[in-house]
PDB file of all heavy atoms in Angstrom:
ATOM      1  N   THR O  97       0.810  -1.153   0.082  1.00 93.00           N
ATOM      2  CA  THR O  97       0.038   0.019  -0.100  1.00 93.00           C
ATOM      3  C   THR O  97       0.788   1.320  -0.004  1.00 93.00           C
ATOM      4  O   THR O  97       0.408   2.365  -0.265  1.00 93.00           O
ATOM      5  CB  THR O  97      -0.984   0.068   1.223  1.00 93.00           C
ATOM      6  OG1 THR O  97      -0.174  -0.230   2.388  1.00 93.00           O
ATOM      7  CG2 THR O  97      -1.912  -1.137   1.026  1.00 93.00           C
ATOM      8  N   ASP O  98       2.139   1.134   0.320  1.00 94.00           N
ATOM      9  CA  ASP O  98       2.992   2.355   0.249  1.00 94.00           C
ATOM     10  C   ASP O  98       3.749   2.465  -1.100  1.00 94.00           C
ATOM     11  O   ASP O  98       4.577   3.267  -1.217  1.00 94.00           O
ATOM     12  CB  ASP O  98       4.119   2.318   1.345  1.00 94.00           C
ATOM     13  CG  ASP O  98       4.948   1.042   1.245  1.00 94.00           C
ATOM     14  OD1 ASP O  98       4.802   0.186   0.388  1.00 94.00           O
ATOM     15  OD2 ASP O  98       5.870   0.828   2.135  1.00 94.00           O
ATOM     16  N   GLY O  99       3.388   1.624  -2.046  1.00 93.00           N
ATOM     17  CA  GLY O  99       3.955   1.672  -3.466  1.00 93.00           C
ATOM     18  C   GLY O  99       5.307   1.037  -3.514  1.00 93.00           C
ATOM     19  O   GLY O  99       5.875   1.034  -4.696  1.00 93.00           O
ATOM     20  N   ARG O 100       5.825   0.411  -2.492  1.00 95.00           N
ATOM     21  CA  ARG O 100       7.136  -0.387  -2.519  1.00 95.00           C
ATOM     22  C   ARG O 100       6.884  -1.790  -2.681  1.00 95.00           C
ATOM     23  O   ARG O 100       5.716  -2.315  -2.358  1.00 95.00           O
ATOM     24  CB  ARG O 100       7.925  -0.085  -1.310  1.00 95.00           C
ATOM     25  CG  ARG O 100       8.234   1.454  -1.065  1.00 95.00           C
ATOM     26  CD  ARG O 100       8.940   1.440   0.249  1.00 95.00           C
ATOM     27  NE  ARG O 100       9.587   3.040   0.501  1.00 95.00           N
ATOM     28  CZ  ARG O 100      10.863   3.167   0.325  1.00 95.00           C
ATOM     29  NH1 ARG O 100      11.646   2.183  -0.118  1.00 95.00           N
ATOM     30  NH2 ARG O 100      11.272   4.442   0.586  1.00 95.00           N
ATOM     31  N   LEU O 101       7.815  -2.496  -3.256  1.00 96.00           N
ATOM     32  CA  LEU O 101       7.859  -3.872  -3.288  1.00 96.00           C
ATOM     33  C   LEU O 101       7.782  -4.473  -1.886  1.00 96.00           C
ATOM     34  O   LEU O 101       8.155  -3.819  -0.834  1.00 96.00           O
ATOM     35  CB  LEU O 101       8.976  -4.447  -3.984  1.00 96.00           C
ATOM     36  CG  LEU O 101       8.942  -4.608  -5.491  1.00 96.00           C
ATOM     37  CD1 LEU O 101       8.844  -3.270  -6.205  1.00 96.00           C
ATOM     38  CD2 LEU O 101      10.254  -5.351  -6.016  1.00 96.00           C
ATOM     39  N   PRO O 102       7.286  -5.642  -1.605  1.00 95.00           N
ATOM     40  CA  PRO O 102       7.103  -6.276  -0.325  1.00 95.00           C
ATOM     41  C   PRO O 102       8.709  -6.305   0.221  1.00 95.00           C
ATOM     42  O   PRO O 102       8.858  -6.343   1.444  1.00 95.00           O
ATOM     43  CB  PRO O 102       6.709  -7.718  -0.541  1.00 95.00           C
ATOM     44  CG  PRO O 102       5.695  -7.604  -1.623  1.00 95.00           C
ATOM     45  CD  PRO O 102       6.352  -6.486  -2.563  1.00 95.00           C
ATOM     46  N   SER O 103       9.591  -6.300  -0.598  1.00 96.00           N
ATOM     47  CA  SER O 103      11.030  -6.344  -0.126  1.00 96.00           C
ATOM     48  C   SER O 103      11.392  -4.951   0.446  1.00 96.00           C
ATOM     49  O   SER O 103      12.468  -4.748   1.147  1.00 96.00           O
ATOM     50  CB  SER O 103      12.108  -6.619  -1.317  1.00 96.00           C
ATOM     51  OG  SER O 103      11.942  -5.537  -2.283  1.00 96.00           O
ATOM     52  N   GLY O 104      10.606  -3.920   0.186  1.00 96.00           N
ATOM     53  CA  GLY O 104      10.804  -2.658   0.767  1.00 96.00           C
ATOM     54  C   GLY O 104      11.445  -1.709  -0.375  1.00 96.00           C
ATOM     55  O   GLY O 104      11.632  -0.588  -0.086  1.00 96.00           O
ATOM     56  N   GLN O 105      11.771  -2.284  -1.459  1.00 97.00           N
ATOM     57  CA  GLN O 105      12.490  -1.499  -2.576  1.00 97.00           C
ATOM     58  C   GLN O 105      11.462  -0.583  -3.380  1.00 97.00           C
ATOM     59  O   GLN O 105      10.289  -1.059  -3.489  1.00 97.00           O
ATOM     60  CB  GLN O 105      13.204  -2.453  -3.454  1.00 97.00           C
ATOM     61  CG  GLN O 105      14.064  -1.671  -4.566  1.00 97.00           C
ATOM     62  CD  GLN O 105      14.843  -2.743  -5.355  1.00 97.00           C
ATOM     63  OE1 GLN O 105      14.397  -3.824  -5.599  1.00 97.00           O
ATOM     64  NE2 GLN O 105      15.931  -2.240  -5.841  1.00 97.00           N
ATOM     65  N   GLU O 106      11.897   0.598  -3.761  1.00 96.00           N
ATOM     66  CA  GLU O 106      11.074   1.363  -4.632  1.00 96.00           C
ATOM     67  C   GLU O 106      10.841   0.665  -5.920  1.00 96.00           C
ATOM     68  O   GLU O 106      11.777  -0.004  -6.423  1.00 96.00           O
ATOM     69  CB  GLU O 106      11.646   2.742  -4.776  1.00 96.00           C
ATOM     70  CG  GLU O 106      11.855   3.581  -3.530  1.00 96.00           C
ATOM     71  CD  GLU O 106      10.494   4.399  -3.349  1.00 96.00           C
ATOM     72  OE1 GLU O 106       9.538   4.125  -4.180  1.00 96.00           O
ATOM     73  OE2 GLU O 106      10.384   5.144  -2.447  1.00 96.00           O
ATOM     74  N   LEU O 107       9.615   0.789  -6.481  1.00 96.00           N
ATOM     75  CA  LEU O 107       9.343   0.148  -7.814  1.00 96.00           C
ATOM     76  C   LEU O 107      10.302   0.606  -8.800  1.00 96.00           C
ATOM     77  O   LEU O 107      10.891  -0.246  -9.603  1.00 96.00           O
ATOM     78  CB  LEU O 107       7.937   0.582  -8.179  1.00 96.00           C
ATOM     79  CG  LEU O 107       7.455   0.103  -9.516  1.00 96.00           C
ATOM     80  CD1 LEU O 107       7.411  -1.518  -9.610  1.00 96.00           C
ATOM     81  CD2 LEU O 107       6.048   0.481  -9.882  1.00 96.00           C
ATOM     82  N   ARG O 108      10.621   1.941  -9.041  1.00 95.00           N
ATOM     83  CA  ARG O 108      11.540   2.359 -10.115  1.00 95.00           C
ATOM     84  C   ARG O 108      12.927   1.859  -9.864  1.00 95.00           C
ATOM     85  O   ARG O 108      13.523   1.500 -10.855  1.00 95.00           O
ATOM     86  CB  ARG O 108      11.466   3.896 -10.070  1.00 95.00           C
ATOM     87  CG  ARG O 108      11.921   4.592  -8.759  1.00 95.00           C
ATOM     88  CD  ARG O 108      12.022   6.093  -8.941  1.00 95.00           C
ATOM     89  NE  ARG O 108      10.851   6.622  -9.540  1.00 95.00           N
ATOM     90  CZ  ARG O 108       9.684   6.754  -8.799  1.00 95.00           C
ATOM     91  NH1 ARG O 108       9.661   6.418  -7.504  1.00 95.00           N
ATOM     92  NH2 ARG O 108       8.603   7.282  -9.389  1.00 95.00           N
ATOM     93  N   ASP O 109      13.311   1.676  -8.597  1.00 97.00           N
ATOM     94  CA  ASP O 109      14.648   1.209  -8.310  1.00 97.00           C
ATOM     95  C   ASP O 109      14.690  -0.378  -8.688  1.00 97.00           C
ATOM     96  O   ASP O 109      15.768  -0.863  -9.280  1.00 97.00           O
ATOM     97  CB  ASP O 109      15.019   1.340  -6.785  1.00 97.00           C
ATOM     98  CG  ASP O 109      15.198   2.786  -6.504  1.00 97.00           C
ATOM     99  OD1 ASP O 109      15.392   3.571  -7.441  1.00 97.00           O
ATOM    100  OD2 ASP O 109      15.086   3.145  -5.349  1.00 97.00           O
ATOM    101  N   ALA O 110      13.590  -1.045  -8.586  1.00 97.00           N
ATOM    102  CA  ALA O 110      13.643  -2.559  -8.820  1.00 97.00           C
ATOM    103  C   ALA O 110      13.682  -2.729 -10.408  1.00 97.00           C
ATOM    104  O   ALA O 110      14.418  -3.555 -10.908  1.00 97.00           O
ATOM    105  CB  ALA O 110      12.379  -3.150  -8.332  1.00 97.00           C
ATOM    106  N   VAL O 111      12.949  -1.789 -11.110  1.00 97.00           N
ATOM    107  CA  VAL O 111      13.043  -1.836 -12.609  1.00 97.00           C
ATOM    108  C   VAL O 111      14.343  -1.647 -13.068  1.00 97.00           C
ATOM    109  O   VAL O 111      14.902  -2.215 -13.901  1.00 97.00           O
ATOM    110  CB  VAL O 111      11.928  -0.827 -13.138  1.00 97.00           C
ATOM    111  CG1 VAL O 111      12.197  -0.744 -14.666  1.00 97.00           C
ATOM    112  CG2 VAL O 111      10.600  -1.298 -12.802  1.00 97.00           C
ATOM    113  N   ALA O 112      15.018  -0.535 -12.532  1.00 97.00           N
ATOM    114  CA  ALA O 112      16.403  -0.105 -12.957  1.00 97.00           C
ATOM    115  C   ALA O 112      17.273  -1.227 -12.697  1.00 97.00           C
ATOM    116  O   ALA O 112      18.279  -1.447 -13.431  1.00 97.00           O
ATOM    117  CB  ALA O 112      16.609   1.203 -12.316  1.00 97.00           C
ATOM    118  N   GLN O 113      17.113  -1.908 -11.451  1.00 98.00           N
ATOM    119  CA  GLN O 113      18.115  -2.973 -11.119  1.00 98.00           C
ATOM    120  C   GLN O 113      18.010  -4.105 -12.117  1.00 98.00           C
ATOM    121  O   GLN O 113      19.088  -4.601 -12.434  1.00 98.00           O
ATOM    122  CB  GLN O 113      17.764  -3.406  -9.619  1.00 98.00           C
ATOM    123  CG  GLN O 113      18.844  -4.478  -9.235  1.00 98.00           C
ATOM    124  CD  GLN O 113      18.581  -4.881  -7.764  1.00 98.00           C
ATOM    125  OE1 GLN O 113      17.741  -4.215  -6.995  1.00 98.00           O
ATOM    126  NE2 GLN O 113      19.157  -6.053  -7.367  1.00 98.00           N
ATOM    127  N   VAL O 114      16.854  -4.494 -12.395  1.00 98.00           N
ATOM    128  CA  VAL O 114      16.638  -5.684 -13.338  1.00 98.00           C
ATOM    129  C   VAL O 114      17.192  -5.236 -14.656  1.00 98.00           C
ATOM    130  O   VAL O 114      17.889  -6.060 -15.351  1.00 98.00           O
ATOM    131  CB  VAL O 114      15.149  -5.997 -13.464  1.00 98.00           C
ATOM    132  CG1 VAL O 114      15.003  -7.018 -14.463  1.00 98.00           C
ATOM    133  CG2 VAL O 114      14.540  -6.377 -12.263  1.00 98.00           C
ATOM    134  N   ASP O 115      16.966  -4.034 -15.252  1.00 98.00           N
ATOM    135  CA  ASP O 115      17.490  -3.631 -16.514  1.00 98.00           C
ATOM    136  C   ASP O 115      19.012  -3.573 -16.346  1.00 98.00           C
ATOM    137  O   ASP O 115      19.695  -4.057 -17.389  1.00 98.00           O
ATOM    138  CB  ASP O 115      16.906  -2.278 -16.886  1.00 98.00           C
ATOM    139  CG  ASP O 115      15.726  -2.306 -17.743  1.00 98.00           C
ATOM    140  OD1 ASP O 115      15.430  -3.447 -18.303  1.00 98.00           O
ATOM    141  OD2 ASP O 115      14.997  -1.360 -17.975  1.00 98.00           O
ATOM    142  N   ASP O 116      19.631  -3.012 -15.374  1.00 98.00           N
ATOM    143  CA  ASP O 116      21.040  -2.940 -15.324  1.00 98.00           C
ATOM    144  C   ASP O 116      21.737  -4.368 -15.256  1.00 98.00           C
ATOM    145  O   ASP O 116      22.733  -4.547 -15.823  1.00 98.00           O
ATOM    146  CB  ASP O 116      21.429  -2.149 -14.110  1.00 98.00           C
ATOM    147  CG  ASP O 116      21.062  -0.705 -14.117  1.00 98.00           C
ATOM    148  OD1 ASP O 116      20.824  -0.260 -15.211  1.00 98.00           O
ATOM    149  OD2 ASP O 116      21.104  -0.008 -13.113  1.00 98.00           O
ATOM    150  N   ALA O 117      21.120  -5.261 -14.560  1.00 98.00           N
ATOM    151  CA  ALA O 117      21.664  -6.519 -14.428  1.00 98.00           C
ATOM    152  C   ALA O 117      21.509  -7.433 -15.607  1.00 98.00           C
ATOM    153  O   ALA O 117      22.228  -8.549 -15.731  1.00 98.00           O
ATOM    154  CB  ALA O 117      21.036  -7.270 -13.170  1.00 98.00           C
ATOM    155  N   THR O 118      20.502  -7.087 -16.478  1.00 98.00           N
ATOM    156  CA  THR O 118      20.214  -8.044 -17.632  1.00 98.00           C
ATOM    157  C   THR O 118      20.467  -7.340 -18.967  1.00 98.00           C
ATOM    158  O   THR O 118      20.102  -7.919 -19.984  1.00 98.00           O
ATOM    159  CB  THR O 118      18.830  -8.444 -17.513  1.00 98.00           C
ATOM    160  OG1 THR O 118      17.908  -7.326 -17.735  1.00 98.00           O
ATOM    161  CG2 THR O 118      18.447  -9.213 -16.210  1.00 98.00           C
ATOM    162  N   GLY O 119      21.060  -6.141 -18.955  1.00 98.00           N
ATOM    163  CA  GLY O 119      21.226  -5.395 -20.201  1.00 98.00           C
ATOM    164  C   GLY O 119      19.865  -5.009 -20.850  1.00 98.00           C
ATOM    165  O   GLY O 119      19.753  -4.965 -22.104  1.00 98.00           O
ATOM    166  N   GLY O 120      18.841  -4.810 -20.043  1.00 98.00           N
ATOM    167  CA  GLY O 120      17.559  -4.361 -20.562  1.00 98.00           C
ATOM    168  C   GLY O 120      16.856  -5.560 -21.335  1.00 98.00           C
ATOM    169  O   GLY O 120      16.082  -5.403 -22.188  1.00 98.00           O
ATOM    170  N   ALA O 121      17.022  -6.758 -20.648  1.00 98.00           N
ATOM    171  CA  ALA O 121      16.399  -7.961 -21.362  1.00 98.00           C
ATOM    172  C   ALA O 121      14.959  -8.044 -21.493  1.00 98.00           C
ATOM    173  O   ALA O 121      14.435  -8.415 -22.435  1.00 98.00           O
ATOM    174  CB  ALA O 121      17.044  -9.147 -20.661  1.00 98.00           C
ATOM    175  N   PRO O 122      14.245  -7.679 -20.329  1.00 98.00           N
ATOM    176  CA  PRO O 122      12.785  -7.684 -20.455  1.00 98.00           C
ATOM    177  C   PRO O 122      12.174  -6.960 -21.664  1.00 98.00           C
ATOM    178  O   PRO O 122      12.643  -5.805 -21.857  1.00 98.00           O
ATOM    179  CB  PRO O 122      12.311  -7.335 -19.092  1.00 98.00           C
ATOM    180  CG  PRO O 122      13.408  -7.497 -18.145  1.00 98.00           C
ATOM    181  CD  PRO O 122      14.640  -7.269 -18.987  1.00 98.00           C
ATOM    182  N   ALA O 123      11.146  -7.456 -22.241  1.00 98.00           N
ATOM    183  CA  ALA O 123      10.474  -6.738 -23.231  1.00 98.00           C
ATOM    184  C   ALA O 123       9.823  -5.513 -22.582  1.00 98.00           C
ATOM    185  O   ALA O 123       9.869  -4.449 -23.163  1.00 98.00           O
ATOM    186  CB  ALA O 123       9.365  -7.575 -23.828  1.00 98.00           C
ATOM    187  N   TYR O 124       9.274  -5.702 -21.401  1.00 98.00           N
ATOM    188  CA  TYR O 124       8.723  -4.549 -20.653  1.00 98.00           C
ATOM    189  C   TYR O 124       8.438  -4.934 -19.242  1.00 98.00           C
ATOM    190  O   TYR O 124       8.617  -6.217 -18.977  1.00 98.00           O
ATOM    191  CB  TYR O 124       7.468  -3.917 -21.311  1.00 98.00           C
ATOM    192  CG  TYR O 124       6.219  -4.958 -21.584  1.00 98.00           C
ATOM    193  CD1 TYR O 124       5.333  -5.132 -20.572  1.00 98.00           C
ATOM    194  CD2 TYR O 124       6.077  -5.551 -22.694  1.00 98.00           C
ATOM    195  CE1 TYR O 124       4.301  -5.907 -20.729  1.00 98.00           C
ATOM    196  CE2 TYR O 124       5.102  -6.322 -22.917  1.00 98.00           C
ATOM    197  CZ  TYR O 124       4.111  -6.552 -22.001  1.00 98.00           C
ATOM    198  OH  TYR O 124       3.010  -7.439 -22.259  1.00 98.00           O
ATOM    199  N   PHE O 125       7.953  -4.069 -18.462  1.00 98.00           N
ATOM    200  CA  PHE O 125       7.608  -4.371 -17.038  1.00 98.00           C
ATOM    201  C   PHE O 125       6.158  -4.106 -16.854  1.00 98.00           C
ATOM    202  O   PHE O 125       5.547  -3.402 -17.575  1.00 98.00           O
ATOM    203  CB  PHE O 125       8.490  -3.405 -16.079  1.00 98.00           C
ATOM    204  CG  PHE O 125       9.819  -3.844 -16.056  1.00 98.00           C
ATOM    205  CD1 PHE O 125      10.715  -3.306 -16.966  1.00 98.00           C
ATOM    206  CD2 PHE O 125      10.329  -4.672 -14.959  1.00 98.00           C
ATOM    207  CE1 PHE O 125      12.095  -3.615 -17.071  1.00 98.00           C
ATOM    208  CE2 PHE O 125      11.795  -5.045 -15.019  1.00 98.00           C
ATOM    209  CZ  PHE O 125      12.608  -4.469 -16.010  1.00 98.00           C
ATOM    210  N   MET O 126       5.575  -4.667 -15.868  1.00 97.00           N
ATOM    211  CA  MET O 126       4.311  -4.456 -15.352  1.00 97.00           C
ATOM    212  C   MET O 126       4.185  -4.410 -13.902  1.00 97.00           C
ATOM    213  O   MET O 126       5.060  -4.707 -13.134  1.00 97.00           O
ATOM    214  CB  MET O 126       3.383  -5.777 -15.838  1.00 97.00           C
ATOM    215  CG  MET O 126       3.211  -5.811 -17.300  1.00 97.00           C
ATOM    216  SD  MET O 126       2.069  -7.241 -17.698  1.00 97.00           S
ATOM    217  CE  MET O 126       0.884  -7.370 -16.446  1.00 97.00           C
ATOM    218  N   VAL O 127       2.965  -3.964 -13.442  1.00 97.00           N
ATOM    219  CA  VAL O 127       2.632  -3.921 -11.983  1.00 97.00           C
ATOM    220  C   VAL O 127       1.389  -4.833 -11.896  1.00 97.00           C
ATOM    221  O   VAL O 127       0.417  -4.600 -12.697  1.00 97.00           O
ATOM    222  CB  VAL O 127       2.355  -2.634 -11.338  1.00 97.00           C
ATOM    223  CG1 VAL O 127       1.946  -2.747  -9.927  1.00 97.00           C
ATOM    224  CG2 VAL O 127       3.639  -1.722 -11.483  1.00 97.00           C
ATOM    225  N   ASN O 128       1.338  -5.841 -11.068  1.00 97.00           N
ATOM    226  CA  ASN O 128       0.087  -6.458 -10.946  1.00 97.00           C
ATOM    227  C   ASN O 128      -0.151  -6.848  -9.401  1.00 97.00           C
ATOM    228  O   ASN O 128       0.702  -6.705  -8.456  1.00 97.00           O
ATOM    229  CB  ASN O 128       0.041  -7.946 -11.558  1.00 97.00           C
ATOM    230  CG  ASN O 128       0.841  -9.006 -10.882  1.00 97.00           C
ATOM    231  OD1 ASN O 128       2.165  -8.922 -10.807  1.00 97.00           O
ATOM    232  ND2 ASN O 128       0.068 -10.047 -10.417  1.00 97.00           N
ATOM    233  N   CYS O 129      -1.520  -7.198  -9.060  1.00 95.00           N
ATOM    234  CA  CYS O 129      -1.818  -7.676  -7.755  1.00 95.00           C
ATOM    235  C   CYS O 129      -1.724  -6.541  -6.695  1.00 95.00           C
ATOM    236  O   CYS O 129      -1.270  -6.684  -5.565  1.00 95.00           O
ATOM    237  CB  CYS O 129      -1.015  -8.876  -7.195  1.00 95.00           C
ATOM    238  SG  CYS O 129      -2.067  -9.981  -6.160  1.00 95.00           S
ATOM    239  N   ALA O 130      -2.087  -5.301  -7.142  1.00 95.00           N
ATOM    240  CA  ALA O 130      -2.081  -4.198  -6.293  1.00 95.00           C
ATOM    241  C   ALA O 130      -3.187  -3.184  -6.799  1.00 95.00           C
ATOM    242  O   ALA O 130      -3.343  -3.091  -8.000  1.00 95.00           O
ATOM    243  CB  ALA O 130      -0.801  -3.462  -6.183  1.00 95.00           C
ATOM    244  N   HIS O 131      -3.951  -2.417  -5.925  1.00 95.00           N
ATOM    245  CA  HIS O 131      -4.883  -1.394  -6.472  1.00 95.00           C
ATOM    246  C   HIS O 131      -4.037  -0.121  -6.712  1.00 95.00           C
ATOM    247  O   HIS O 131      -3.187   0.261  -6.153  1.00 95.00           O
ATOM    248  CB  HIS O 131      -5.931  -1.162  -5.364  1.00 95.00           C
ATOM    249  CG  HIS O 131      -7.163  -0.463  -5.857  1.00 95.00           C
ATOM    250  ND1 HIS O 131      -7.092   0.985  -5.692  1.00 95.00           N
ATOM    251  CD2 HIS O 131      -8.178  -0.794  -6.330  1.00 95.00           C
ATOM    252  CE1 HIS O 131      -8.373   1.222  -6.210  1.00 95.00           C
ATOM    253  NE2 HIS O 131      -8.997   0.288  -6.589  1.00 95.00           N
ATOM    254  N   PRO O 132      -4.687   0.569  -7.765  1.00 94.00           N
ATOM    255  CA  PRO O 132      -3.915   1.838  -8.090  1.00 94.00           C
ATOM    256  C   PRO O 132      -3.803   2.777  -6.902  1.00 94.00           C
ATOM    257  O   PRO O 132      -2.803   3.577  -6.869  1.00 94.00           O
ATOM    258  CB  PRO O 132      -5.028   2.458  -9.081  1.00 94.00           C
ATOM    259  CG  PRO O 132      -5.507   1.280  -9.843  1.00 94.00           C
ATOM    260  CD  PRO O 132      -5.640   0.265  -8.752  1.00 94.00           C
ATOM    261  N   THR O 133      -4.693   2.782  -5.975  1.00 94.00           N
ATOM    262  CA  THR O 133      -4.435   3.681  -4.843  1.00 94.00           C
ATOM    263  C   THR O 133      -3.259   3.402  -4.009  1.00 94.00           C
ATOM    264  O   THR O 133      -2.699   4.047  -3.150  1.00 94.00           O
ATOM    265  CB  THR O 133      -5.699   3.628  -3.776  1.00 94.00           C
ATOM    266  OG1 THR O 133      -5.799   2.269  -3.423  1.00 94.00           O
ATOM    267  CG2 THR O 133      -6.899   4.158  -4.563  1.00 94.00           C
ATOM    268  N   HIS O 134      -2.759   2.141  -4.214  1.00 94.00           N
ATOM    269  CA  HIS O 134      -1.465   1.759  -3.456  1.00 94.00           C
ATOM    270  C   HIS O 134      -0.117   2.407  -4.001  1.00 94.00           C
ATOM    271  O   HIS O 134       0.775   2.430  -3.353  1.00 94.00           O
ATOM    272  CB  HIS O 134      -1.290   0.136  -3.543  1.00 94.00           C
ATOM    273  CG  HIS O 134      -2.402  -0.551  -2.794  1.00 94.00           C
ATOM    274  ND1 HIS O 134      -2.574  -1.871  -2.872  1.00 94.00           N
ATOM    275  CD2 HIS O 134      -3.529  -0.097  -2.092  1.00 94.00           C
ATOM    276  CE1 HIS O 134      -3.648  -2.196  -2.186  1.00 94.00           C
ATOM    277  NE2 HIS O 134      -4.250  -1.139  -1.691  1.00 94.00           N
ATOM    278  N   PHE O 135      -0.281   2.600  -5.376  1.00 92.00           N
ATOM    279  CA  PHE O 135       0.974   3.123  -5.916  1.00 92.00           C
ATOM    280  C   PHE O 135       0.867   4.416  -6.726  1.00 92.00           C
ATOM    281  O   PHE O 135       2.004   5.009  -7.070  1.00 92.00           O
ATOM    282  CB  PHE O 135       1.540   1.956  -6.879  1.00 92.00           C
ATOM    283  CG  PHE O 135       0.662   1.412  -7.965  1.00 92.00           C
ATOM    284  CD1 PHE O 135       0.640   2.250  -9.140  1.00 92.00           C
ATOM    285  CD2 PHE O 135      -0.096   0.480  -7.710  1.00 92.00           C
ATOM    286  CE1 PHE O 135      -0.181   1.688 -10.117  1.00 92.00           C
ATOM    287  CE2 PHE O 135      -0.904  -0.029  -8.720  1.00 92.00           C
ATOM    288  CZ  PHE O 135      -0.924   0.607  -9.907  1.00 92.00           C
ATOM    289  N   GLU O 136      -0.276   4.865  -6.884  1.00 90.00           N
ATOM    290  CA  GLU O 136      -0.414   6.085  -7.798  1.00 90.00           C
ATOM    291  C   GLU O 136       0.237   7.338  -7.097  1.00 90.00           C
ATOM    292  O   GLU O 136       0.708   8.155  -7.872  1.00 90.00           O
ATOM    293  CB  GLU O 136      -1.825   6.389  -8.071  1.00 90.00           C
ATOM    294  CG  GLU O 136      -2.805   6.582  -6.888  1.00 90.00           C
ATOM    295  CD  GLU O 136      -4.206   6.687  -7.225  1.00 90.00           C
ATOM    296  OE1 GLU O 136      -4.552   6.399  -8.380  1.00 90.00           O
ATOM    297  OE2 GLU O 136      -5.035   6.942  -6.363  1.00 90.00           O
ATOM    298  N   GLY O 137       0.422   7.383  -5.831  1.00 87.00           N
ATOM    299  CA  GLY O 137       1.073   8.465  -5.160  1.00 87.00           C
ATOM    300  C   GLY O 137       2.579   8.503  -5.286  1.00 87.00           C
ATOM    301  O   GLY O 137       3.237   9.442  -4.963  1.00 87.00           O
ATOM    302  N   VAL O 138       3.254   7.498  -5.809  1.00 87.00           N
ATOM    303  CA  VAL O 138       4.697   7.411  -5.942  1.00 87.00           C
ATOM    304  C   VAL O 138       5.080   7.464  -7.490  1.00 87.00           C
ATOM    305  O   VAL O 138       6.240   7.401  -7.712  1.00 87.00           O
ATOM    306  CB  VAL O 138       5.280   6.228  -5.333  1.00 87.00           C
ATOM    307  CG1 VAL O 138       4.940   6.123  -3.798  1.00 87.00           C
ATOM    308  CG2 VAL O 138       4.789   4.843  -6.109  1.00 87.00           C
ATOM    309  N   LEU O 139       4.091   7.695  -8.321  1.00 88.00           N
ATOM    310  CA  LEU O 139       4.385   7.679  -9.754  1.00 88.00           C
ATOM    311  C   LEU O 139       4.836   8.983 -10.397  1.00 88.00           C
ATOM    312  O   LEU O 139       5.480   9.009 -11.334  1.00 88.00           O
ATOM    313  CB  LEU O 139       3.117   7.211 -10.607  1.00 88.00           C
ATOM    314  CG  LEU O 139       2.579   5.793 -10.308  1.00 88.00           C
ATOM    315  CD1 LEU O 139       1.449   5.532 -11.166  1.00 88.00           C
ATOM    316  CD2 LEU O 139       3.777   4.780 -10.413  1.00 88.00           C
ATOM    317  N   ASP O 140       4.660  10.145  -9.581  1.00 83.00           N
ATOM    318  CA  ASP O 140       4.968  11.464 -10.160  1.00 83.00           C
ATOM    319  C   ASP O 140       6.439  11.818 -10.184  1.00 83.00           C
ATOM    320  O   ASP O 140       6.922  12.747 -10.590  1.00 83.00           O
ATOM    321  CB  ASP O 140       4.083  12.500  -9.451  1.00 83.00           C
ATOM    322  CG  ASP O 140       4.322  12.526  -7.979  1.00 83.00           C
ATOM    323  OD1 ASP O 140       5.089  11.676  -7.457  1.00 83.00           O
ATOM    324  OD2 ASP O 140       3.887  13.423  -7.241  1.00 83.00           O
ATOM    325  N   GLU O 141       7.264  10.835  -9.585  1.00 78.00           N
ATOM    326  CA  GLU O 141       8.682  11.150  -9.552  1.00 78.00           C
ATOM    327  C   GLU O 141       9.395  10.694 -10.895  1.00 78.00           C
ATOM    328  O   GLU O 141      10.499  10.807 -11.084  1.00 78.00           O
ATOM    329  CB  GLU O 141       9.353  10.394  -8.370  1.00 78.00           C
ATOM    330  CG  GLU O 141       8.795  10.882  -6.999  1.00 78.00           C
ATOM    331  CD  GLU O 141       9.273  10.114  -5.850  1.00 78.00           C
ATOM    332  OE1 GLU O 141      10.279   9.350  -5.986  1.00 78.00           O
ATOM    333  OE2 GLU O 141       8.699  10.240  -4.785  1.00 78.00           O
ATOM    334  N   GLY O 142       8.608   9.995 -11.714  1.00 81.00           N
ATOM    335  CA  GLY O 142       9.083   9.507 -13.024  1.00 81.00           C
ATOM    336  C   GLY O 142      10.018   8.234 -12.833  1.00 81.00           C
ATOM    337  O   GLY O 142      10.043   7.585 -11.953  1.00 81.00           O
ATOM    338  N   GLY O 143      10.601   8.001 -13.939  1.00 87.00           N
ATOM    339  CA  GLY O 143      11.551   6.744 -14.025  1.00 87.00           C
ATOM    340  C   GLY O 143      10.931   5.461 -14.329  1.00 87.00           C
ATOM    341  O   GLY O 143      11.354   4.493 -14.007  1.00 87.00           O
ATOM    342  N   LEU O 144       9.703   5.521 -14.725  1.00 93.00           N
ATOM    343  CA  LEU O 144       8.882   4.276 -14.983  1.00 93.00           C
ATOM    344  C   LEU O 144       8.363   4.063 -16.369  1.00 93.00           C
ATOM    345  O   LEU O 144       7.359   3.560 -16.731  1.00 93.00           O
ATOM    346  CB  LEU O 144       7.568   4.247 -14.124  1.00 93.00           C
ATOM    347  CG  LEU O 144       7.907   4.180 -12.523  1.00 93.00           C
ATOM    348  CD1 LEU O 144       6.693   4.291 -11.642  1.00 93.00           C
ATOM    349  CD2 LEU O 144       8.697   2.743 -12.312  1.00 93.00           C
TER     350      LEU O 144
END
């Protein structure tokens, strides 16, 4: 509900970490199993 992964990591940081470690291998990223009210408040910082 705070917009962070259950690990405590920021979503944008997790995306960046995966891209950095894989040379941008994923076709794209998604968010699932959370309501928009849980993460919409952390989206205005960009990087997604």
